[in-house]
Amino acid sequence: MIYESDAGEKVVNLSKLFVGAEGTLGTIVEATVGLVSVPEETALALYFFDDLIDALAAVPKALEHDVGAVELMDDEVFRLAAESDGFSQYVEAIPERAAAALMIEFDSELVDDFEDAISETNARFVEDGAAFDVLEAYSEGDQADIWNLRKAAIPLLMSLDGDPKPYPFIEDATVPPEELADYVSKFEEVLEDHDTSAAYFAHAGSGTLHIRPILNLKSGAGVEAMHSITEDVTDLVLEHYGAFSGEHGDGMARTEFNPKMYGPDLWDAFKQLKTAADPEWRMHPGNVVYRNDSSDTGPDSGRGVGADNREHLRYGATYESIEPQTTLDFDDQGGFSHLVELCNGCGTCRQTDSEVMCPTYRASQEEIQTTRGRANLLRAAISGELDEEEIYSDRFQEEVLDLCIGCKGCKSDCPTGVDMAKLKTEVKHEYHQREGLTIPERLFSRIEDVSELGSRLAPISNYAPKVPGSRAAMEALLGIAAERELPRFTSQSFVEWFEARGGPRVPEAEANGKVVLFPDVYTNYSYPRPGRAAVHVLEAAGIRVEVPDEVGPSGRPAYSKGRLDLAREQAAHNVEVLAPRVEEGWSVAFIEPSDAVMFQDEYLDLLDGPDVERVAASSYGIMELLDVGRVDEQLDFTHSADSLTYHGHCNQKATNKDHHAVGVLRRAGHEVDPLDSGCCGMAGSFGYLAEHYELSQAIGRILFRQVEASGGDRVTAPGASCRSQLGDRSGYEMPPHPIEALAEVTSGRTAHTSTVAGADAEADTETETGTEAGSGSIASAVAGLFAGP
């Protein structure tokens, strides 16, 4: 901290002191940050061991090689991942007998030849060591799978059923790597003494293991066990020459034990320094350093007196919550209240540079618009901290819930898996049961009726918004922003087009597979080209395709507006129609990602039984279907000269299904740049509403900048909302769906399919030359719009 300046003067560098003080000495208003380079290339080797201690004993040996990182995972992480729909794919290559795995990363700044480097460590750990197998990963995708498993540790652990959870009160303890094996052996004795267990993962190479004992901190016994374990572990850390705060800092969880860790002389110096910098102890009093009593070093007051990690708990022995009756099934999350309580306040939802969560915060920078902010207020409501009627107030609904756009990003990006979209939908449903629906809510929750009517009345329905004053009237009466471009309607629906061409063209006896292509509202009535492209591609692969007219709306619009009774009714109808097809070996494919995820995920919350489970398991986004079934391997592709910028759909990212399109497009010859992007900001009806238009645009501008920075010749996106938002930019047209980009380079292979040119010729039948709809069908559509609660 003391160095000599260019002028030969001794200077005290206070930066490390202020950073380490965690805001207790002052406020940093400006900082110069030192950066490190990101290696251009990396490779991973994952070594499997029969015993955790053997894996830890190998850490010092690993550090003798030119490694960039050494990470640890144990069998508890593997077990939970295998039981999770979202992460099971990442453990398929993990041997069942593995008790622990040591992940070693090599990077191009340290190693010239990855294969040679891994060959050396293979000899060290497998041939001559305790590891029984190794998984090598050189490609970007294979490495991402391993890292995804490692990063999944916290959400998987926090998703444990019931109140006992793995809490992070000692997870920052760090010992020298050569001490790890003995340290963990004795650590396990501490856990055994307290009748609990823990999972082991994180940064073995630096000696920092994130060990989280499983305790119930809603009980007095659990709270006392936490305190007792901390006492024992701090003794253990000192015995092994370690530090109690190796990565994340002290805070309220660890400050109590700092006198033990630093000794009386340093501890007294801490208090003197704190008093010199902050005489009144106003800055985070009681954190990092505390006073024994009011006569101790410091001000003549009680500020900063005492520290006890049993106090100021999020829950504690006196915490109680109400478990409401719900319409959705929350059993897999342990109940509504448990899902709310999964938020541990870590603040990951405030990230702004990667993944999806949380779009509204990224645009507004307001805490109330984070997943954490919403979860805190919901927890206050169910625990009685807020008045029981507050959750039904206009303020709560508008400021807390309505600005959640339902992207589902928090389901996957939140370390503990808080699914705020699901929580919001349940609360909105209860609110509608009490207060009814607004006209915009009624309109957008049954948008299929509006779209069917618009299609029947085309081209009049497309000209109507152009009448002077019509958009202002729509905003005043329906809440639709006058600035927003509206969808156009086709006079021939996608279902009608499919029937007009003669239905399926691949005989069932000759088919390589059978697919029901679901006619979503947007594809069916406004933009059928992706649907036609999907038919072309599937038939080129010898797949028999049917586009049924007996299915109903997916239920996504009703679900997003909290109309759960209507969504359940629509889901039940679709399952009844499709279950027999699935039983006969048909798959169900979707052009619209949000509808695919509705079937795969939300249907299981709305319905139960074997039929819905089979339909959900047989439902795929169209690009997912092509990738999972390797259908594209049955196709011939022409050369593609352009490169694509790919923006994935947030619902598919939340369910780990957004990567399929990239794989298929690349195998077809496209160069693809997949953006690490969040929500587009349109989010179904959200971006159409005048009250949300500016926020929608602010979210969209984040995506627009990413698209402009990409090197792709053009952008492609599977979501109708995403394509609408991207197409609304001045001077831009709506980008294609990935299936359209694939169809462009797909040549027909069977006698049953048209060429791309033929498909385009058929698409030219998309006219707006009026309608023959009878007054009865129009009346039925209007009646359907305003039916229901």
Side-chain angles (χ1 to χ4, degrees), residues 3-4 8 65 101 159 178 186 221 244 294 366 374 377 392-393 449 522 526 561 571 587 591 598 643 720 779 783:
Y3 67 96
E4 189 169 304
H65 297 263
S159 66
E178 59 270 19
K186 294 177 180 177
F244 193 37
S294 58
E366 294 182 6
R374 295 180 178 112
L377 286 168
Y392 303 111
S393 69
D449 294 328
Y522 190 71
S526 291
K561 291 300 179 185
S587 297
I591 302 300
M598 183 73 189
S643 59

Side-chain angles (χ1 to χ4, degrees), residues 670-731:
H670 286 287
E671 181 181 331
V672 185
D673 176 20
L675 298 179
D676 184 6
S677 51
C679 181
C680 69
M682 195 67 174
S685 63
F686 182 87
Y688 282 104
L689 295 174
E691 60 185 319
H692 300 153
Y693 179 76
E694 290 301 327
L695 180 58
S696 170
Q697 288 296 97
I699 298 171
R701 283 192 288 271
I702 299 172
L703 172 61
F704 302 160
R705 289 193 290 270
Q706 289 180 287
V707 170
E708 291 164 4
S710 172
D713 296 324
R714 54 179 176 151
V715 64
T716 181
S721 291
C722 307
R723 301 199 307 276
S724 297
Q725 181 83 308
L726 288 163
D728 272 0
R729 295 176 294 165
S730 178

Side-chain angles (χ1 to χ4, degrees), residues 257-591:
F257 303 93
N258 278 347
K260 177 197 293 189
M261 302 307 299
Y262 293 102
D265 292 341
L266 269 177
W267 184 244
D268 186 58
F270 283 2
K271 288 186 283 188
Q272 293 181 46
L273 176 61
K274 167 68 173 174
T275 303
D278 179 17
E280 299 299 322
W281 282 53
R282 296 183 181 277
M283 307 293 291
H284 292 279
N287 283 282
V288 181
V289 60
Y290 66 91
R291 307 163 66 205
N292 294 328
D293 52 48
S294 58
S295 64
D296 199 353
T297 303
D300 295 330
S301 69
R303 293 187 69 83
V305 170
D308 191 326
N309 76 346
R310 292 166 290 191
E311 298 176 352
H312 308 296
L313 298 176
R314 184 177 294 270
Y315 302 113
T318 61
Y319 176 86
E320 293 182 354
S321 63
I322 301 168
E323 181 58 40
Q325 276 194 317
T326 60
T327 299
L328 294 173
D329 183 358
F330 284 86
D331 286 349
D332 287 346
Q333 293 81 34
F336 180 94
S337 296
H338 183 262
L339 183 55
V340 172
E341 293 165 358
L342 282 179
C343 175
N344 63 14
C346 68
T348 304
C349 46
R350 293 172 64 94
Q351 67 184 358
T352 59
D353 57 349
S354 65
E355 301 183 316
V356 177
M357 179 183 70
C358 179
T360 48
Y361 172 75
R362 293 184 182 190
S364 70
Q365 300 290 294
E366 294 182 6
E367 169 69 17
I368 197 173
Q369 292 186 30
T370 63
T371 303
R372 179 175 68 182
R374 295 180 178 112
N376 281 339
L377 286 168
L378 284 174
R379 186 175 63 252
I382 63 175
S383 65
E385 187 178 339
L386 289 178
D387 183 86
E388 62 181 15
E389 291 297 308
E390 179 62 26
I391 198 171
Y392 303 111
S393 69
D394 290 342
R395 181 178 65 174
F396 194 98
Q397 293 291 317
E398 294 170 5
E399 296 182 13
V400 180
L401 298 182
D402 286 352
L403 294 182
C404 168
I405 60 179
C407 70
K408 297 171 70 74
C410 47
K411 181 176 181 178
S412 58
D413 296 349
C414 171
T416 57
V418 176
D419 189 347
M420 185 54 61
K422 183 175 181 179
L423 292 168
K424 168 201 170 177
T425 299
E426 182 65 47
V427 176
K428 292 298 289 185
H429 171 72
E430 181 64 25
Y431 177 77
H432 293 326
Q433 297 295 102
R434 291 170 52 118
E435 306 295 334
L437 294 157
T438 64
I439 291 178
E441 287 169 337
R442 198 176 292 276
L443 172 78
F444 283 108
S445 63
R446 300 200 69 127
I447 195 64
E448 64 277 359
D449 294 328
V450 178
S451 297
E452 181 183 4
L453 181 61
S455 178
R456 292 181 183 278
L457 294 177
I460 297 172
S461 52
N462 294 325
Y463 298 146
K466 300 176 183 179
V467 175
S470 63
R471 294 306 305 271
M474 291 176 69
E475 182 167 321
L477 296 174
L478 304 177
I480 299 175
E483 304 94 328
R484 178 65 71 182
E485 185 75 19
L486 297 179
R488 296 176 64 81
F489 300 107
T490 61
S491 60
Q492 183 188 51
S493 71
F494 174 53
V495 171
E496 291 168 342
W497 168 84
F498 188 78
E499 292 174 351
R501 74 194 283 274
R505 292 185 175 177
V506 177
E508 191 164 354
E510 301 175 17
N512 295 326
K514 299 179 292 184
V515 170
V516 172
L517 189 58
F518 186 85
D520 66 86
V521 172
Y522 190 71
T523 301
N524 200 24
Y525 297 117
S526 291
Y527 193 73
R529 295 181 73 90
R532 295 170 180 173
V535 172
H536 166 68
V537 170
L538 290 170
E539 290 186 340
I543 305 293
R544 180 176 174 84
V545 182
E546 290 192 4
V547 181
D549 62 357
E550 64 268 30
V551 295
S554 69
R556 169 63 69 192
Y559 183 93
S560 69
K561 291 300 179 185
R563 296 187 69 178
L564 294 181
D565 292 339
L566 176 59
R568 174 175 286 165
E569 176 187 325
Q570 294 171 335
H573 171 77
N574 287 332
V575 169
E576 182 180 1
V577 170
L578 294 172
R581 296 287 191 91
V582 169
E583 190 73 19
E584 295 170 0
W586 291 75
S587 297
V588 186
F590 298 82
I591 302 300

